[in-house]
Amino acid sequence: MPRHSPFPVVLTGREQSTLEDMARKYTSPYFMVVRAKAILLAAQSLRNDQIAERISLAPADYQQVAQTLF
């Protein structure tokens, strides 16, 4: 069953701006772009399966990314 992260993600305006910049840069390492996008989507209180779909990762792969975030 898809679930929300048990950890609320609250970003300051500066953090959000920095992550948005990272997520848009095509010259950034791929893993950093994926993490930035995942954090931004988690801050919108999306379920883990929704985040995985939006960043084009299999749910199992997203779980690995999420574990490194929290």
Side-chain angles (χ1 to χ4, degrees):
M1 171 183 273
R3 64 184 186 98
H4 290 277
S5 171
F7 306 102
V9 179
V10 180
L11 302 172
T12 64
R14 185 174 182 184
E15 290 169 333
Q16 183 166 343
S17 177
T18 300
L19 289 169
E20 288 171 349
D21 289 343
M22 260 188 198
R24 282 193 297 264
K25 286 188 180 176
Y26 290 101
T27 56
S28 295
Y30 179 71
F31 77 94
M32 289 184 66
V33 172
V34 169
R35 285 183 180 179
K37 288 180 179 180
I39 294 168
L40 288 167
L41 293 169
Q44 295 176 19
S45 300
L46 295 177
R47 292 188 323 264
N48 291 341
D49 64 322
Q50 292 172 316
I51 295 170
E53 183 179 323
R54 290 191 186 187
I55 58 176
S56 302
L57 287 178
D61 293 336
Y62 173 70
Q63 282 182 335
Q64 290 179 339
V65 172
Q67 287 174 355
T68 65
L69 300 177
F70 305 111

